[in-house]
């Protein structure tokens, strides 16, 4: 079923059951989660850097491509949604060129770019027939991304998990829609079908959902992390730039478990951001300090991805009916 969007999305989105992208979760998103999301009818995604060593990326893309193709053969009336790979464009990511070559080999349909916009990268993805979505936190970065050839934008508003902006989703979407009519996803505390519909009502085409999928059977997260999502509320989220140099949202309990005071964290250093392939302190920080958005207050159990998406669809359809849409 194709739901109404603000503007026409590229044809590869025709297979979506819901207007939702499962956001790439560092460490947590892998083939199990992505395949489950795509089979259930939403875009599944993962950061290329989750596949370590780099050669593992080829194996992951092989498995994802083959399993989704088999699903489509077995379910011609309900094909899987497309998948996406997130590329960190920051200069410290020494794997970027190799990861892009691997994505080209498997003709990854959607590439999500973060922490930098590059015209040559967008052209490379277009060369194999893919599209690029770039995540941004304000209108200035949005304009730069489109100028450099991105096909669409992911507006990362206040309350989103991991690296997040400070702006209200209303302010951010309104500003972007004044000049951009292309594909637009919205991220920030979206955890119910009602919120998915709200994102569309304010002008986005798609909702970008991450934290609720941490508390799923298929997520590659420690049991304590999943339970932290279940137990957490919006008030349990701490906004800090200490851990990577870029502001993000994290679970208070994980910061306390690491022996730090969540209310008195020092400032981070943007120059210290490192997405290299080694096992340095930054990678350890990401493993020990758990990212989360503010929308987790409605997550009350760990369950399979398919069950969570079924609920999102019921809520979404009920909201449309309630508003007579």
């Amino acid at each position: 079923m194709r739901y109404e969007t603000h503007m026409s999305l590229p044809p590869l989105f025709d297979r979506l059951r819901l207007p939702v992208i499962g956001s790439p979760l560092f460490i947590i998103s892998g083939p199990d989660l992505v395949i489950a999301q795509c089979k259930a009818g939403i875009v599944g995604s993962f950061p290329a850097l989750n596949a370590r060593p780099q050669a593992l990326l080829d194996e992951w893309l092989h498995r994802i491509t083959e399993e989704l193709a088999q699903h489509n053969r077995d379910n011609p009336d309900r094909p899987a949604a497309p998948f996406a790979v997130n590329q960190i464009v920051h200069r410290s990511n020494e794997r970027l060129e190799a990861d892009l070559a691997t994505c080209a080999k498997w003709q990854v349909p959607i590439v999500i770019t973060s922490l930098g916009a590059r015209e040559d990268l967008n052209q490379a993805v277009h060369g194999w027939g893919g599209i690029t979505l770039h995540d941004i936190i304000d209108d200035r970065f949005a304009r730069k991304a489109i100028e450099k050839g991105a096909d669409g934008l992911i507006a990362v508003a206040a309350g989103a998990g991991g690296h997040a902006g400070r702006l209200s989703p209303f302010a951010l979407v309104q500003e972007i829609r004044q000049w951009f009519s292309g594909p637009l996803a919205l991220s920030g505390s979206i955890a119910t079908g009602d919120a998915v519909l709200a994102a569309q009502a304010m002008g986005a085409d798609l909702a970008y959902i991450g934290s609720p999928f941490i508390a799923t059977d298929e997520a590659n997260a420690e049991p304590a992390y999943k339970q932290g999502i279940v137990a957490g509320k919006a008030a349990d989220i701490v906004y800090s730039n200490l851990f990577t140099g870029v502001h993000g949202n994290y679970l208070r309990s994980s910061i306390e478990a690491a022996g730090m005071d969540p209310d008195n964290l020092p400032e981070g250093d943007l120059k210290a951001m490192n997405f290299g392939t080694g096992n340095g302190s930054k990678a350890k920080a990401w493993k020990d300090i758990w990212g989360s958005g503010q929308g987790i207050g409605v997550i009350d159990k760990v369950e399979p991805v398919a069950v969570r998406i079924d609920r999102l669809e019921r809520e979404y359809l009920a909201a449309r009916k309630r508003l007579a849409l």
Side-chain angles (χ1 to χ4, degrees), residues 90 183 196 206 235 253 321:
H90 190 265
V196 173
L206 302 154
S253 59
K321 184 177 181 180

Side-chain angles (χ1 to χ4, degrees), residues 238 242 252 255 260-267:
V238 176
L242 171 62
R252 173 178 292 269
I255 298 172
M260 292 178 281
D261 180 357
D263 298 315
N264 291 284
L265 295 174
E267 287 292 305

Side-chain angles (χ1 to χ4, degrees), residues 230-275:
V230 171
K233 304 289 184 183
D236 298 315
I237 305 304
V238 176
Y239 190 65
S240 172
N241 66 353
L242 171 62
F243 307 108
T244 68
V246 176
H247 276 92
N249 284 314
Y250 305 93
L251 277 175
R252 173 178 292 269
S253 59
S254 69
I255 298 172
E256 292 172 338
M260 292 178 281
D261 180 357
D263 298 315
N264 291 284
L265 295 174
E267 287 292 305
D269 182 1
L270 182 59
K271 295 179 181 178
M273 186 191 297
N274 184 0
F275 289 94

